[in-house]
Amino acid sequence: QVQLVESGGGLVQAGGSLRLSCVASGIFFGIMAMDWYRQAPGKQRELVATINSAGSTYYADSVKGRFTISRDNAKNTVFLQMNSLKPEDTAVYYCHTAIGPVAYWGQGTQVTVSS
């Protein structure tokens, strides 16, 4: 049974930082690409960052230079370091992976950035 459990969200002032974590179980974590998505109220869920098994990364333009995705394969954990946070980063952040056509999502963690 695949499980993704996020943590690390919270309330922070603009310009501040947060570090999100996602612990995975039930998968061969080291060979999986892992993603962070976010969904703001009234908006579609959007891809924030991806890291593949080789450590290559992709970032949405809106977070490039401010967010860093990383992974610790020994701990089955993927991280999202978020710096210079802006009010428009406010959203529920979700951890995601896929096995073929089947997508797996965490429960989400709320990030709120006050101005």
Side-chain angles (χ1 to χ4, degrees):
Q1 180 181 355
V2 178
Q3 270 196 312
L4 303 174
V5 180
E6 302 102 332
S7 62
L11 172 64
V12 64
Q13 288 189 329
S17 298
L18 283 174
R19 189 192 196 206
L20 306 183
S21 300
C22 170
V23 180
S25 59
I27 59 174
F28 291 105
F29 182 81
I31 65 171
M32 304 294 293
M34 301 296 298
D35 317 294
W36 286 98
Y37 281 75
R38 67 186 180 187
Q39 187 165 19
K43 295 189 175 182
Q44 287 191 327
R45 194 170 294 190
E46 63 174 355
L47 178 63
V48 174
T50 296
I51 186 166
N52 69 12
S53 58
S56 296
T57 57
Y58 161 86
Y59 297 94
D61 287 343
S62 58
V63 307
K64 210 171 286 185
R66 300 188 298 122
F67 290 12
T68 302
I69 189 171
S70 61
R71 66 193 297 160
D72 183 340
N73 290 339
K75 296 182 178 180
N76 282 13
T77 303
V78 60
F79 304 98
L80 186 68
Q81 177 66 44
M82 306 186 294
N83 298 329
S84 302
L85 282 160
K86 304 175 181 180
E88 50 264 44
D89 294 318
T90 295
V92 178
Y93 283 71
Y94 297 92
C95 183
H96 166 271
T97 192
I99 300 175
V102 181
Y104 297 93
W105 297 92
Q107 81 286 355
T109 185
Q110 176 70 47
V111 171
T112 303
V113 184
S114 63
S115 56

